[in-house]
Amino acid sequence: MKISQNLYVRVPLAIALVAVLVALLSSTLSYYIGLQEKKDTNYLLVKQLAQTMAKTATISAYLNDGELGQEIISGLFSNDLVQGARLDGEGEMSISSDGLNEQQDGIVIPLIHPFIDDAVVGTLTVYPDDKYIEQQAQTSLKKEVALILIQSIIIAFFVSLVVHRWLTRPIQKLTDSFATINPSVPKTMRMLLVKQGEKNEIGKLTQGINSLMHELHLTISNERALREKTQELESKFRLIFEQASAGICLLNEKNIITTFNPAFLQYLSVAGQTDLASLHFPTLLNDVDKLEKLLLSIRADKNRPQVTLDIECRIGNKTLWLHCLFAKLTEQRSNERSGDQGNLVEVIIHDVTERAEREFQTRFEADHDPLTHLLNRRSGDKKLDNALLYCLENQQNLVLMMIDLDKFKPVNDTYGHEAGDKVLIATAKRLKAHFNLATDLCIRWGGDEFIVARQLMNVDQELILEQANNIIAEIEQSIYISKDTQCHIGASIGIVVAPKDGKVLDELLVKADDMMYQVKASGRGQVAFYQKL
């Protein structure tokens, strides 16, 4: 039989069981101790009875009165505690009860002479009834044991009632009330009932639980409100993240993209692709080394939380300009994130191709001649100055040619300015064909004057002269100003070489200009190097 696990059942049962066990143990111990005591008491009573009859027995023995002796023996035998008795006197006097078993131990009382203290006239022997004595003792003790057991059970019953009334029932009610509470349902977190004025331990425990539940209720309510607010914000931010027109991604410490939004995928993937070509961010934007150095510096520099950069990249057959904002993410909470989360970098990109093209066009128009698309005088002067400075710092030479067109004014006068513009455009193309290196400069200096410049490690004057003559020959080729009309022009060139001929740009320009006018004065269509006088 399985015992209930409820405390209000187990506690009374435990009390009753303990009471019964204690009663049994104490009764058993009391039985064996009391049995011997009962025997000793009964033996003492038999002895006292024998001593009481000793004086009469002494007279019977002294007088040798058998009739008196028989009455004494019969009187003793009539007692339930006595199995038998025997009276021995002087001479042959010996009186005993019927069926006497003399083998068992008896109580022997010496009969003292009535007149002589040291003389013995006989003996009175009384034999206790051991079986009767033991039965009497057992019967008496069994009743006592039964009374102890009944008393223990009654005490256990009332103690159980008291314990149930003052302990297990309040605990049961407290447990039943507590079982109705569901932390996930705040409405069920009501206060537990406490009897008014009850100040015992259960009342204090209930009050403590109520205080704890009150705080827990507030905590759960606040946590739920915070969670709902967080979920709402997360939903909004997720919506912003997914529907943002800007591309957004996160990079780990190895510059691998860990997450990105649809706009980011749209910017950096070919139409029709459902995934990025690579998750290594610098690879997507082509300029791998530059980007890796930039990202490394962002992570290392604590004073530079974000950096912006315009990057040109090619996606499929398209060339895009992307404005990228790099922001280092730092942990806002006091506890540290595990791993390398602190090395995350957020990247936000915008397609600024149209703006970049407009800016490029604006810069181009500001720096270039609108007719020939060569550098204009303002930007050309600045680039010449930079090129000269570079050559001086790196032990290189700057070859500068001042070119003026011959017979250009008659073209304007004869065919008009539109024809003159065509001549200037054709001349610019022919100059660009000869000076097409990355460091070469072709400038429309003004009107029909042009400047070209090239950086050289070593100067070979014959080679430069050959190139200048080739330019003149190229310029002298026929130029069609209409379908059926063509014209011919020429060119005069003055050449200076820095730093041999000067280290200041204005000085070099003046010298080149002087040489070019000397050529014009001497017949045009020639080349002249500056020479110190």
Side-chain angles (χ1 to χ4, degrees):
M1 180 178 178
K2 188 176 181 180
I3 300 175
S4 174
Q5 296 296 317
N6 294 326
L7 191 62
Y8 67 90
V9 175
R10 297 173 68 90
V11 169
L13 285 178
I15 292 173
L17 182 60
V18 170
V20 170
L21 289 176
V22 171
L24 287 173
L25 182 61
S26 61
S27 299
T28 302
L29 185 61
S30 175
Y31 175 80
Y32 285 106
I33 294 174
L35 182 61
Q36 188 61 42
E37 289 179 352
K38 287 286 184 182
K39 288 181 179 180
D40 293 342
T41 301
N42 287 332
Y43 277 112
L44 181 61
L45 290 174
V46 172
K47 186 176 181 179
Q48 289 175 351
L49 179 62
Q51 288 175 346
T52 303
M53 301 298 292
K55 289 185 178 182
T56 305
T58 299
I59 295 171
S60 175
Y62 176 74
L63 297 177
N64 201 13
D65 187 347
E67 184 178 352
L68 179 60
Q70 186 64 46
E71 289 180 2
I72 293 171
I73 295 302
S74 297
L76 289 171
F77 185 69
S78 64
N79 193 300
D80 292 335
L81 297 176
V82 179
Q83 184 185 21
R86 190 179 71 207
L87 176 62
D88 295 316
E90 291 182 352
E92 294 180 359
M93 182 181 180
S94 178
I95 302 170
S96 61
S97 58
D98 295 336
L100 179 64
N101 183 10
E102 296 184 4
Q103 293 181 354
Q104 69 181 70
D105 295 333
I107 300 172
V108 179
I109 304 297
L111 302 176
I112 305 300
H113 195 284
F115 305 110
I116 303 172
D117 292 337
D118 295 333
V120 177
V121 296
T123 58
L124 178 62
T125 305
V126 179
Y127 296 94
D129 191 344
D130 292 337
K131 290 183 179 180
Y132 179 79
I133 291 172
E134 187 166 354
Q135 278 182 349
Q136 287 296 102
Q138 288 178 349
T139 302
S140 175
L141 289 172
K142 285 179 180 177
K143 291 179 180 179
E144 291 180 7
V145 168
L147 287 174
I148 292 174
L149 286 174
I150 293 172
Q151 184 182 18
S152 299
I153 291 173
I154 292 173
I155 293 173
F157 175 74
F158 283 103
V159 169
S160 299
L161 287 180
V162 173
V163 170
H164 179 67
R165 171 67 178 79
W166 294 102
L167 181 62
T168 58
R169 187 170 67 178
I171 292 177
Q172 178 189 359
K173 290 182 178 180
L174 183 62
T175 303
D176 293 340
S177 180
F178 196 77
T180 62
I181 296 173
N182 185 356
S184 62
V185 183
K187 292 182 179 179
T188 64
M189 298 185 68
R190 57 185 176 275
M191 296 296 102
L192 303 180
L193 298 177
V194 185
K195 286 187 178 180
Q196 194 70 21
E198 195 168 83
K199 298 297 183 180
N200 58 21
E201 288 78 359
I202 294 178
K204 293 178 181 178
L205 175 62
T206 306
Q207 291 174 2
I209 292 174
N210 285 339
S211 299
L212 181 61
M213 282 204 313
H214 177 69
E215 295 298 326
L216 182 61
H217 177 73
L218 291 178
T219 302
I220 291 176
S221 299
N222 293 336
E223 190 272 337
R224 174 166 291 188
L226 181 62
R227 185 169 62 248
E228 290 175 354
K229 186 175 181 180
T230 302
Q231 289 174 349
E232 182 182 356
L233 289 175
E234 183 181 355
S235 177
K236 290 180 179 179
F237 282 121
R238 172 60 60 182
L239 186 64
I240 293 172
F241 180 76
E242 292 180 350
Q243 297 189 5
S245 59
I248 304 172
C249 75
L250 291 179
L251 308 181
N252 64 13
E253 71 282 358
K254 295 181 180 179
N255 298 328
I256 300 299
I257 299 171
T258 59
T259 185
F260 56 89
N261 68 343
F264 186 88
L265 176 63
Q266 184 177 359
Y267 281 144
L268 296 176
S269 64
V270 180
Q273 284 185 348
T274 58
D275 207 349
L276 297 172
S278 172
L279 291 178
H280 187 241
F281 179 75
T283 305
L284 291 175
L285 299 185
N286 305 332
D287 200 345
V288 178
D289 293 338
K290 180 180 179 181
L291 283 174
E292 286 186 339
K293 290 179 180 178
L294 175 63
L295 290 168
L296 183 62
S297 67
I298 291 173
R299 291 189 174 95
D301 192 348
K302 295 182 179 179
N303 298 321
R304 186 169 60 166
Q306 62 183 34
V307 175
T308 58
L309 182 67
D310 288 344
I311 300 175
E312 182 182 17
C313 62
R314 188 166 184 81
I315 308 298
N317 296 324
K318 299 184 300 181
T319 298
L320 299 178
W321 278 92
L322 299 176
H323 179 75
C324 301
L325 185 146
F326 301 91
K328 179 170 58 177
L329 299 184
T330 55
E331 177 57 65
Q332 300 279 326
R333 300 177 184 175
S334 59
N335 60 320
E336 296 182 357
R337 286 185 177 182
S338 60
D340 293 325
Q341 293 295 324
N343 288 327
L344 288 178
V345 173
E346 178 187 26
V347 183
I348 301 176
I349 61 174
H350 295 272
D351 185 355
V352 293
T353 303
E354 293 184 6
R355 187 194 74 186
E357 290 177 348
R358 288 196 302 270
E359 291 177 355
F360 180 79
Q361 184 64 31
T362 301
R363 287 196 300 269
F364 185 86
E365 291 175 355
D367 294 340
H368 293 76
D369 174 56
L371 179 64
T372 62
H373 294 173
L374 299 181
L375 292 172
N376 58 28
R377 183 165 185 163
R378 180 190 61 81
S379 63
D381 184 77
K382 186 183 297 183
K383 288 185 179 296
L384 283 173
D385 200 30
N386 292 336
L388 177 59
L389 180 62
Y390 179 83
C391 289
L392 293 176
E393 291 177 350
N394 294 276
Q395 289 79 46
Q396 292 189 16
N397 300 283
L398 181 66
V399 177
L400 188 148
M401 301 182 184
M402 178 74 75
I403 303 172
D404 186 77
L405 300 184
D406 298 332
K407 297 185 270 185
F408 175 72
K409 188 174 181 301
V411 174
N412 272 337
D413 294 341
T414 304
Y415 302 106
H417 289 287
E418 185 177 348
D421 290 344
K422 291 182 178 180
V423 170
L424 293 174
I425 292 171
T427 302
K429 290 181 180 179
R430 292 172 181 179
L431 290 176
K432 288 290 291 182
H434 284 271
F435 287 83
N436 54 10
L437 300 180
T439 56
D440 288 349
L441 297 175
C442 293
I443 307 166
R444 184 184 178 191
W445 198 246
D448 59 348
E449 284 186 346
F450 297 88
I451 290 179
V452 294
R454 172 168 288 177
Q455 300 173 24
L456 296 174
M457 286 296 298
N458 300 304
V459 176
D460 185 339
Q461 189 166 330
E462 293 184 359
L463 186 60
I464 294 173
L465 179 61
E466 180 182 354
Q467 186 177 24
N469 287 323
N470 289 337
I471 291 172
I472 292 174
E474 186 74 22
I475 292 174
E476 288 176 349
Q477 295 294 321
S478 299
I479 299 174
Y480 282 88
I481 55 177
S482 67
K483 185 177 180 180
D484 301 323
T485 306
Q486 58 183 352
C487 65
H488 299 273
I489 60 171
S492 299
I493 300 177
I495 302 175
V496 292
V497 179
K500 179 175 70 72
D501 298 332
K503 297 182 180 181
V504 179
L505 180 62
D506 290 342
E507 179 186 356
L508 293 171
L509 290 173
V510 169
K511 292 177 179 179
D513 190 64
D514 287 343
M515 299 311 300
M516 181 265 296
Y517 277 107
Q518 286 184 20
V519 170
K520 278 188 171 291
S522 63
R524 300 179 181 179
Q526 299 295 324
V527 177
F529 282 91
Y530 174 78
Q531 292 181 351
K532 292 182 180 180
L533 300 177

